[in-house]
């Protein structure tokens, strides 16, 4: 459903685990799911605010929160940027996206993933966890006058196990911008078995966690490895990316296609894993196809 590069997950007020809710004080209103999507596209939101902060909680059937995640989206130097961090028990993972690179810190493991320039902004937009997915269908739209909100409800199936799912989007009645979300999974009797509960804030004040970016890029020169990655070598869309990373950092290329890393420009000798223990290394990345 909603995807993140590996980490998805944010908070909301009160949501029950029963299949139905109180509909008093609500009236039908003529708004489409397309209207909501258009009002919450990344470019549109960035015209109205400096950043978008999101908190998500994943809640099990007993009402226990088993993981919490945060996102902070913004524009930096004309490019989309995001900081996201996830907590599950004692474990924590941080991803900071800057200038076409995803910097990841998972425990002590560090990874830098290069995204082809033409695909970077689309990938950042795709990380927004509250944006309705392509598979969702509109179930109902009701105005909630007492809160100046509109409740947009959707239904869809989990693409992995075909479980019934539903989205409840509480949007501002004037702008249609999403304020909070509940994504629920249902059992065969129509009762909720798990929930992703999110709140969305414009111009949020929470300080983002940038520890992955700092750990990978802010080390002393002697502890850095200069990595040169040639993406699509020899093609019309070849690009050369150079970055300094902490020694021992993993390197990958992530695009819409699967990329394989090679030692040579002819792309004949594969890199089982890129060795960044030395002072420098050159990598060639080519789509699997």
């Amino acid at each position: 459903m909603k995807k993140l590069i590996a980490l998805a997950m944010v908070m909301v007020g009160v949501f029950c685990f029963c299949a139905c809710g109180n509909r008093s004080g609500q009236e039908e209103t003529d708004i489409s799911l397309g209207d909501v999507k258009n009002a919450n596209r990344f470019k549109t939101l960035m015209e109205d605010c400096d950043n978008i902060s999101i908190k998500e909680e994943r809640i099990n059937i007993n009402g226990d929160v088993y993981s919490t995640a945060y996102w902070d989206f913004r524009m930096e130097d004309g490019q989309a940027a995001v900081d996201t961090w996830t907590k599950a028990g004692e474990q924590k993972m941080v991803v900071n996206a800057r200038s076409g690179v995803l910097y990841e810190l998972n425990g002590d493991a560090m990874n830098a993933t290069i995204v082809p320039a033409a695909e970077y902004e689309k990938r950042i937009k795709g990380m927004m966890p509250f944006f309705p997915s392509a598979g969702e269908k509109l179930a109902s739209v009701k105005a909630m006058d007492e809160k100046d909100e509109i409740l947009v409800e959707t239904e869809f199936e989990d693409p992995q196990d075909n479980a019934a799912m539903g989205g409840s989007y509480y949007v501002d009645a004037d702008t249609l911008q999403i304020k909070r979300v509940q994504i629920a999974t249902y059992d065969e009797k129509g009762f909720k078995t798990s929930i992703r509960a999110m709140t969305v804030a414009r111009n949020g004040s929470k300080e983002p966690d940038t520890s992955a970016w700092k750990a990978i890029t802010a080390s002393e020169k002697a502890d850095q490895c200069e990595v040169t990655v040639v993406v699509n070598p020899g093609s019309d869309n070849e690009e050369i990316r150079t970055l300094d990373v902490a020694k021992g950092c993993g390197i990958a290329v992530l695009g819409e296609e699967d990329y394989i890393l090679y030692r040579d420009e002819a792309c004949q000798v594969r890199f089982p894993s890129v060795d960044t223990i030395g002072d420098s290394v050159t990598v060639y990345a080519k789509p699997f196809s």
Side-chain angles (χ1 to χ4, degrees):
M1 214 228 75
K2 310 239 185 330
K3 208 173 140 183
L4 49 108
I5 325 172
L7 27 104
M9 288 121 217
V10 169
M11 170 179 178
V12 10
V14 178
F15 290 106
C16 66
F17 273 82
C18 60
C20 58
N22 184 4
R23 294 289 183 265
S24 62
Q26 300 177 1
E27 299 177 355
E28 296 288 345
T29 185
D30 185 20
I31 290 174
S32 71
L33 188 57
D35 293 332
V36 175
K37 288 184 176 183
N38 287 333
N40 289 275
R41 297 191 186 281
F42 185 85
K43 183 178 180 180
T44 303
L45 294 175
M46 287 295 99
E47 291 174 350
D48 298 332
C49 60
D50 294 328
N51 71 309
I52 305 166
S53 297
I54 306 158
K55 180 182 178 182
E56 176 184 315
E57 290 182 337
R58 293 207 172 199
I59 308 168
N60 63 24
I61 193 171
N62 298 317
D64 300 321
V65 176
Y66 62 89
S67 71
T68 305
Y70 302 85
W71 286 266
D72 188 275
F73 292 88
R74 75 189 92 50
M75 295 295 293
E76 286 188 358
D77 299 324
Q79 287 191 318
V82 61
D83 300 310
T84 175
W85 55 110
T86 304
K87 298 178 182 178
E90 297 299 317
Q91 296 183 326
K92 182 179 181 181
M93 180 170 69
V94 180
V95 175
N96 306 125
R98 298 285 190 284
S99 303
V101 182
L102 309 179
Y103 298 95
E104 178 185 324
L105 183 63
N106 191 351
D108 294 327
M110 297 179 292
N111 288 282
T113 301
I114 292 172
V115 180
E119 302 175 25
Y120 174 69
E121 187 166 319
K122 181 180 179 181
R123 182 164 295 278
I124 297 302
K125 294 175 181 178
M127 292 172 66
M128 298 180 75
F130 63 87
F131 195 81
S133 64
E136 293 183 56
K137 297 180 180 180
L138 185 65
S140 67
V141 180
K142 294 183 173 67
M144 304 177 68
D145 295 335
E146 69 277 11
K147 291 186 177 180
D148 198 27
E149 292 179 342
I150 295 173
L151 171 59
V152 178
E153 295 185 299
T154 66
E155 56 187 23
F156 54 103
E157 289 186 349
D158 187 310
Q160 295 184 335
D161 57 17
N162 297 320
M165 300 186 72
S168 297
Y169 298 87
Y170 293 82
V171 306
D172 184 276
D174 294 324
T175 65
L176 299 187
Q177 292 183 351
I178 295 170
K179 299 166 68 175
R180 61 189 192 278
V181 183
Q182 173 186 317
I183 303 296
T185 302
Y186 297 89
D187 63 18
E188 63 280 357
K189 295 182 179 180
F191 289 94
K192 294 176 185 175
T193 58
S194 64
I195 284 176
R196 294 176 61 194
M198 311 178 215
T199 52
V200 183
R202 278 92 190 152
N203 299 315
S205 58
K206 186 176 181 63
E207 189 69 24
D209 188 330
T210 58
S211 56
W213 176 64
K214 290 177 180 177
I216 294 172
T217 64
S219 55
E220 297 292 331
K221 191 66 178 177
D223 298 323
Q224 288 182 340
C225 176
E226 182 181 81
V227 180
T228 300
V229 180
V230 183
V231 183
N232 299 309
S235 69
D236 292 339
N237 57 339
E238 175 184 294
E239 56 181 289
I240 300 175
R241 309 280 287 276
T242 301
L243 58 156
D244 294 324
V245 303
K247 290 184 176 181
C249 179
I251 300 295
V253 176
L254 178 65
E256 293 181 351
E257 298 182 84
D258 292 330
Y259 276 79
I260 297 176
L261 305 185
Y262 297 89
R263 298 177 183 271
D264 60 318
E265 188 173 2
C267 296
Q268 299 296 314
V269 183
R270 290 191 184 187
F271 256 126
S273 62
V274 180
D275 184 1
T276 58
I277 298 299
D279 292 332
S280 65
V281 64
T282 299
V283 181
Y284 299 88
K286 188 176 180 180
F288 178 77
S289 58

